[in-house]
Amino acid sequence: MANGMMEGKKAQDWLNLALAVALFVSPWVIGFAGEFMAAWNAWIVGIVIGALALATLTAFSEWEEWANMIIGIWLLVSPWLLNFAANVNAMWTHVILGLLVAAISAWALWDERQNPHAHV
């Protein structure tokens, strides 16, 4: 039964969930918890990505992947829009995780178009 529940679940959803956790803990692990905008951005966006990944694991919906892609792009540009690009640790964490989230979501969308019944 557990295998039946996991049938059709994509690796991309699990990867985005792992990236959400990594983003959430990154202010403490990477050392920018004292940088207000960077830390709060990581915490809030990490929760949103995690919630979307869990929702997609429960029942696939294309809009959730599009939302994750947009959030990944937000992570990519947020160091400059929120003025914390001078903190190299925070900036690179956001840029790298943003690229990964956006790329994984694009991969999930591509995969859904190639295998439309894989999420049934």
Side-chain angles (χ1 to χ4, degrees):
M1 181 172 205
N3 285 343
M5 289 175 57
M6 295 314 297
E7 204 171 299
K9 304 304 180 206
K10 295 293 187 177
Q12 299 96 323
D13 304 326
W14 289 106
L15 287 171
N16 270 338
L17 185 58
L19 290 174
V21 171
L23 180 62
F24 188 83
V25 301
S26 67
W28 297 292
V29 174
I30 306 296
F32 60 89
E35 178 80 42
F36 179 80
M37 291 302 273
W40 277 99
N41 191 55
W43 294 326
I44 292 168
V45 175
I47 290 169
V48 172
I49 292 170
L52 287 169
L54 287 172
T56 305
L57 281 166
T58 304
F60 179 81
S61 184
E62 189 173 311
W63 74 266
E64 293 160 344
E65 297 298 346
W66 282 106
N68 258 344
M69 190 181 319
I70 291 166
I71 293 167
I73 294 167
W74 164 255
L75 279 175
L76 182 64
V77 300
S78 66
W80 294 274
L81 295 177
L82 298 177
N83 294 319
F84 62 85
N87 184 323
V88 177
N89 291 338
M91 186 265 299
W92 279 112
T93 300
H94 281 75
V95 168
I96 291 168
L97 290 177
L99 284 170
L100 289 172
V101 168
I104 289 168
S105 297
W107 173 28
L109 287 166
W110 176 84
D111 192 36
E112 173 63 18
R113 298 205 191 273
Q114 299 301 313
N115 305 300
H117 301 293
H119 291 284
V120 177

